[in-house]
Amino acid sequence: MAAAEVPVLYRAFLREGNRYTNYNVKEYVLRRVKEKFAEGRALSGADAAAALVRGRAEFEVVKRQAAISRLYTSELPSIMNKK
């Protein structure tokens, strides 16, 4: 069950990370998510279960911070967000 939750949690992190309005914060969150999930691949057993619980808690923080970020967005788009 826990192994099936990891990809779902990873995609949810990436989705929420892309919702930040500040370019620097968005890139930082996405980079850290990728780094932490890469580190977590080597975990197994109780360590993996603890990391999953910690990941769910961190996801809630990212979700709240992304919502707050959208509340205080500038009307002018950042030049860094243009592609």
Side-chain angles (χ1 to χ4, degrees):
M1 166 121 174
E5 289 182 58
V6 173
V8 173
L9 185 61
Y10 180 72
R11 285 191 301 272
F13 261 112
L14 294 180
R15 202 174 316 114
E16 284 300 320
N18 278 318
R19 291 185 179 165
Y20 280 91
T21 56
N22 184 303
Y23 174 82
N24 291 327
V25 174
K26 180 190 309 186
E27 292 301 314
Y28 173 76
V29 168
L30 294 176
R31 185 177 65 246
R32 292 292 292 171
V33 165
K34 291 173 186 175
E35 288 172 359
K36 289 297 182 180
F37 273 86
E39 289 173 10
R41 275 193 202 132
L43 299 177
S44 62
D47 290 337
L52 186 60
V53 169
R54 199 169 47 250
R56 284 190 212 123
E58 289 294 325
F59 175 70
E60 293 302 320
V61 172
V62 167
K63 193 173 175 181
R64 283 192 305 271
Q65 289 300 110
I68 291 170
S69 172
R70 288 190 304 273
L71 289 175
Y72 299 103
T73 184
S74 171
E75 291 186 22
L76 298 173
S78 171
I79 194 165
M80 297 300 290
N81 288 332
K82 295 182 181 182
K83 294 184 179 178

